[in-house]
Amino acid sequence: MSDTRLLAAVSSVPRLTGDGNNIRHRGLRDGSAIMADLFDALGMEGRIFVANMGTVTTPITFLVTAANRPDAWIRVPSNTAILPILVNVSLEAAAGTDTEIDVRAANNDIGNGTSSAADIGPLSTRNDGPVTSACTARQLATGDTTAETTPRSLYRYEFSVAEGTSSDFHVDVPRSLMGYPCLVGPATWEVFIAATSTQAVGYVVMTWAEIPSSMIV
């Protein structure tokens, strides 16, 4: 009679750092052998994080478009990789013409420049926070960050409202619309939001999964 066993692992998950090696099937502590969705599994580990730019009823005023001055960004250090999951932009007021949202990635850590820490986060979406993020969340670069290396847009959105009016507006950018990015540090995930005249006021929520880069490199 065969005796099949698997490795029960939820929080402290063993990982190999190279290819071509054997590892036991992973399961839950009740012995369930399941094929968990990657992001559900990472969420159970506490490896999904969120950062808020603007919070509760206090929005931020987004900046005039300028090179090296994003409105929201996640700094990914060496030895860390992230899988961006969602960008949520909610505008409380948008009176300017031609407001643009540009979600970008760069192959370097652009640093802080002259900016503020994100209002909230990075915090694990697992409430007891068993894993601490290695990333840094920043907002509103009023002074230049380091220039981007190999910058590219992952998603763009543009809309216009009549000058002198306001409009409630939000856009959700899921992972699929960003092209399923994987950013191996050092790297940066960033958002620019700007109008040609009056700047919008609102909130940004950035959600990502974070793993040691040795998992994939």
Side-chain angles (χ1 to χ4, degrees):
M1 182 177 68
S2 62
D3 182 7
T4 302
R5 303 189 183 202
L6 49 77
L7 180 64
V10 176
S11 296
S12 300
V13 178
R15 290 192 168 90
L16 301 176
T17 57
D19 295 333
N21 298 304
N22 293 320
I23 190 169
R24 278 194 286 177
H25 290 293
R26 177 180 168 188
L28 301 181
R29 291 175 183 167
D30 63 0
S32 300
I34 60 171
M35 293 294 291
D37 174 83
L38 173 62
F39 293 102
D40 282 338
L42 291 173
M44 285 190 289
E45 289 182 49
R47 290 188 173 277
I48 293 180
F49 296 91
V50 64
N52 298 169
M53 293 74 176
T55 180
V56 193
T57 59
T58 305
I60 59 177
T61 300
F62 301 112
L63 304 169
V64 176
T65 297
N68 308 321
R69 296 190 181 187
D71 293 283
W73 67 105
I74 305 300
R75 298 175 52 199
V76 185
S78 297
N79 303 315
T80 298
I82 70 167
L83 304 172
I85 295 173
L86 178 70
V87 176
N88 166 250
V89 178
S90 180
L91 302 185
E92 190 170 277
T97 57
D98 195 25
T99 299
E100 297 182 351
I101 298 171
D102 187 9
V103 180
R104 298 165 65 88
N107 286 357
N108 63 320
D109 178 353
I110 66 171
N112 291 341
T114 302
S115 64
S116 302
D119 286 319
I120 295 176
L123 293 177
S124 173
T125 58
R126 178 171 151 174
N127 69 297
D128 58 348
V131 179
T132 300
S133 175
C135 293
T136 302
R138 304 293 295 184
Q139 66 188 42
L140 298 180
T142 56
D144 287 353
T145 61
T146 300
E148 302 161 288
T149 299
T150 321
R152 64 273 193 195
S153 292
L154 303 177
Y155 179 90
R156 291 190 71 104
Y157 193 90
E158 182 177 342
F159 71 99
S160 298
V161 294
E163 191 69 36
T165 66
S166 64
S167 173
D168 292 331
F169 182 85
H170 83 274
V171 59
D172 292 326
V173 188
R175 179 169 174 75
S176 58
L177 292 182
M178 289 184 279
Y180 299 98
C182 176
L183 303 183
V184 178
T188 307
W189 181 34
E190 54 194 326
V191 182
F192 290 79
I193 303 165
T196 54
S197 51
T198 305
Q199 300 309 307
V201 174
Y203 307 85
V204 178
V205 178
M206 301 178 77
T207 306
W208 68 96
E210 185 174 323
I211 54 178
S213 57
S214 59
M215 275 189 66
I216 55 176
V217 175

